[in-house]
Amino acid sequence: MCGGGGIGDIFSGVQNLANAQMADATSKGNARTARSVARAEAEKIKRAGKAGASSARAAAAENGLDVDVGSAAMIQDEHLGDAAFNAAMTIQDADYQAQQIRAQGKMQRNSYGMKAASDLITGGAEIMGWK
């Protein structure tokens, strides 16, 4: 495999085991980051919705409307509802992305694991004189 005989194959196998652990840890961290960023963005979206509802309420009050009934209240509710929906979609999208990141990390980890097993078996066989 790496030209160093059995010992070289064993070292290569150990390196692949380390790479497998690193790929798994990296994908976990990246998935957490994606979710964390989405939560922060969702909070921004909710704050913007509250600000929009507040502005709509102030504009309605300024024009002499009763802000707790009718279209003024409905407009406020639309701002808040749209913001809540958009925030939830942002979090849901991030969860999907995080799942994809983890799946890719697991595939990479498994690939390194298979390489490690192959290298270790080859190295052991060469050391035992079976090859």
Side-chain angles (χ1 to χ4, degrees), residues 23-120:
D24 195 45
T26 300
S27 70
K28 282 180 184 177
N30 289 345
R32 283 189 198 116
T33 299
R35 286 186 172 116
S36 178
V37 168
R39 282 192 301 273
E41 185 63 28
E43 287 304 314
K44 287 181 187 177
I45 292 169
K46 288 178 185 177
R47 280 194 302 272
K50 287 179 184 176
S54 179
S55 295
R57 183 178 180 91
E62 195 173 277
N63 289 322
L65 297 174
D66 184 359
V67 294
D68 294 324
V69 295
S71 61
M74 192 168 54
I75 290 171
Q76 293 173 62
D77 288 343
E78 282 185 30
H79 279 284
L80 295 173
D82 288 348
F85 175 79
N86 290 337
M89 293 304 293
T90 298
I91 291 172
Q92 184 178 359
D93 185 47
D95 284 341
Y96 176 76
Q97 289 174 355
Q99 289 173 354
Q100 294 302 307
I101 290 167
R102 284 295 293 136
Q104 291 170 358
K106 288 177 183 180
M107 287 189 298
Q108 191 174 17
R109 178 198 64 199
N110 292 344
S111 176
Y112 279 124
M114 293 301 287
K115 288 178 187 175
S118 175
D119 289 341
L120 293 172

